[in-house]
Amino acid sequence: MDWYVLSVETGKENLVQRFIHKRFDESVISAVVPKRRLQERKQGKTLEVCRTMFPGYVFVNTKMSVKTYYDLKGIPRCYRLLNCYHNYYTRNQGRIRNGTRDNGDPAELFLFSKVDDNEMEQILQLIGNDDVIDFSTLYVENAKVTVCDGPLKGQEGLIKRIDKRKRRARIVLQFMGHDKPLDIGIEMLATPDTNPIS
């Protein structure tokens, strides 16, 4: 089974995920909506919130076929499956019959493409079992970032910038062949053996 990305209505990712889990057996299709835990300030108070990592997208793990493609497209609030090759249907390509176009090309080339295994492995390592990137504890010494604990431990190379005031780290992930910058929640340490800064 491979990973694919559904483009869905923004803000309705969890609804689409629940619908997939209701409609399909988990052994056939599983859906994931990666999230990240952040701290936000509102009216002078710091709140912990959970935001969607990729708004408008749901990751599905399945053995994809043209039939599965059309089953997924039939889900409410679902627009299409991402195709990183951008070979979308045009009138010159003909209709799909028995899994091929009129010109003999396989339909899969035009309908969907799987997420690269390395890209998906990196996302799955970060989100863990509960589909949420939790806070990472880190400190900065002589312009070198060291992660003590959390999902970013051992992946310091992903970190591009630290915002101490907002308690966020900017990381860059590969997503469907493109760089995708994301802000991840962090807890800062003054030194490696102290408690997190409040």
Side-chain angles (χ1 to χ4, degrees):
M1 295 202 316
D2 294 313
W3 287 94
Y4 300 87
V5 182
L6 276 174
S7 176
V8 301
E9 183 178 332
T10 303
K12 303 296 182 187
E13 299 89 357
N14 292 327
L15 179 71
V16 171
Q17 181 186 28
R18 283 194 304 270
F19 194 86
I20 289 171
H21 286 182
K22 267 186 184 176
R23 188 167 177 190
F24 300 99
D25 184 24
E26 189 105 6
S27 65
V28 176
I29 296 178
S30 62
V32 172
V33 179
K35 296 181 180 75
R36 58 205 164 120
R37 216 175 294 284
L38 299 168
Q39 290 183 349
E40 291 183 355
R41 290 177 184 242
K42 288 197 178 174
Q43 299 176 350
K45 296 182 181 177
T46 303
L47 306 171
E48 191 175 297
V49 296
C50 197
R51 299 276 182 233
T52 304
M53 244 171 85
F54 301 101
Y57 298 112
V58 175
F59 291 79
V60 292
N61 190 14
T62 186
K63 186 171 172 32
M64 189 62 72
S65 66
V66 174
K67 181 192 179 317
T68 308
Y69 168 80
Y70 283 110
D71 288 345
L72 287 170
K73 274 201 60 147
I75 294 172
R77 313 260 197 255
C78 176
Y79 300 132
R80 63 185 174 95
L81 268 99
L82 292 192
N83 183 344
C84 64
Y85 302 110
H86 304 294
N87 294 328
Y88 299 117
Y89 175 79
T90 65
R91 288 185 182 184
N92 296 339
Q93 292 169 335
R95 296 177 187 231
I96 297 174
R97 290 189 193 126
N98 299 324
T100 61
R101 295 260 182 218
D102 287 341
N103 63 5
D105 290 338
E108 288 84 358
L109 290 176
F110 304 97
L111 299 176
F112 50 83
S113 60
K114 70 179 197 137
V115 179
D116 183 72
D117 292 338
N118 295 330
E119 293 177 8
M120 200 61 212
E121 184 179 322
Q122 197 169 45
I123 293 169
L124 292 174
Q125 280 179 345
L126 288 172
I127 63 174
N129 292 334
D130 58 352
D131 299 343
V132 177
I133 297 180
D134 218 340
F135 292 102
S136 291
T137 307
L138 55 89
Y139 69 96
V140 180
E141 189 173 38
N142 298 329
K144 182 182 178 215
V145 176
T146 305
V147 180
C148 302
D149 191 29
L152 290 176
K153 185 170 182 156
Q155 300 195 38
E156 287 87 352
L158 293 176
I159 300 172
K160 302 302 176 197
R161 188 176 68 204
I162 302 282
D163 187 334
K164 291 181 183 179
R165 188 182 70 80
K166 289 185 177 180
R167 297 183 185 157
R168 294 182 184 187
R170 169 71 49 100
I171 65 171
V172 176
L173 295 176
Q174 282 287 312
F175 177 63
M176 297 299 282
H178 300 285
D179 288 343
K180 173 76 173 162
L182 293 167
D183 287 340
I184 304 297
I186 58 169
E187 293 180 357
M188 293 292 298
L189 298 176
T191 60
D193 45 328
T194 60
N195 292 329
I197 299 172
S198 307

